[in-house]
Amino acid sequence: IVLSNDDSSLKLELRPNAEHLSLTVGGSGWKTPFAPNLTIDHLDAIGELRATGLQLQKLDLRAYEGLVAGKVSLAWDEGASLSAELDFKRLNLARLLPALNPDMGGEGELSGAFRFSGNAPGLSTAGDALKGQVSLEIRRGALRGFDLVEARLPRVDIGRDGFQRGPVA
């Protein structure tokens, strides 16, 4: 089975195997439905579709002069669970930030890692159950329009000797 969107910027191919369908996704110049200003220059994904869920063992995309790579898993056999591990390198902040939020801007390169997971009773509530961890590094850059007061960062307990003791609940 081969499916594509109207402008052929995203293609999905499914091939039957003994216990699952092999899945290949490819695209270029694809505008994401969840953020219409966000454009993916090139996308390659390989995975498996089963009666109980979807696994993308390889996800590689190029966008905003950078790279994103990782894996994603979605299961729906007993409720819904979603997890992802994504690493990103050298994303151009001057191009990326306005695509995400027109009130934000910046310059430099963004690299880091994004890990999230969650379990919920059903797919419709899976997004509400997500918890994640993000590590970011900006090189040769700056952010504009980012409110540090509103950013929710974990509190950290610093001992009298100046060493970090861990997150405070």
Side-chain angles (χ1 to χ4, degrees):
I1 298 171
V2 177
L3 304 170
S4 69
N5 60 354
D6 287 343
D7 63 359
S8 295
S9 61
L10 185 66
K11 293 182 182 176
L12 169 75
E13 184 177 319
L14 296 166
R15 293 186 184 268
N17 264 333
E19 298 176 7
H20 64 274
L21 294 172
S22 293
L23 173 87
T24 305
V25 180
S28 70
W30 176 57
K31 292 190 179 288
T32 64
F34 50 85
N37 294 328
L38 192 63
T39 302
I40 306 302
D41 297 328
H42 185 77
L43 167 69
D44 282 314
I46 296 172
E48 297 176 353
L49 178 61
R50 298 178 181 269
T52 57
L54 168 69
Q55 269 197 328
L56 296 178
Q57 295 99 345
K58 176 188 166 205
L59 175 65
D60 289 318
L61 63 88
R62 296 175 191 271
Y64 301 94
E65 301 171 21
L67 308 169
V68 178
K71 56 187 176 178
V72 178
S73 177
L74 174 63
W76 50 76
D77 55 335
E78 294 180 21
S81 66
L82 175 64
S83 65
E85 297 178 10
L86 303 171
D87 296 309
F88 47 97
K89 298 176 186 174
R90 299 179 305 277
L91 297 171
N92 182 324
L93 283 173
R95 294 184 58 220
L96 174 64
L97 290 176
L100 295 173
N101 182 338
D103 296 330
M104 291 181 64
E107 55 192 60
E109 293 179 346
L110 176 67
S111 295
F114 184 39
R115 311 280 186 258
F116 65 88
S117 63
N119 297 307
L123 286 173
S124 62
T125 57
D128 297 333
L130 291 178
K131 295 187 188 238
Q133 181 178 10
V134 178
S135 62
L136 303 173
E137 178 183 24
I138 298 173
R139 290 187 177 221
R140 298 180 296 276
L143 295 175
R144 290 182 294 283
F146 184 76
D147 188 347
L148 286 177
V149 174
E150 288 296 317
R152 305 280 184 223
L153 300 174
R155 289 187 3 204
V156 175
D157 180 27
I158 305 294
R160 291 181 192 181
D161 55 0
F163 291 101
Q164 179 177 328
R165 300 282 188 240
V168 175

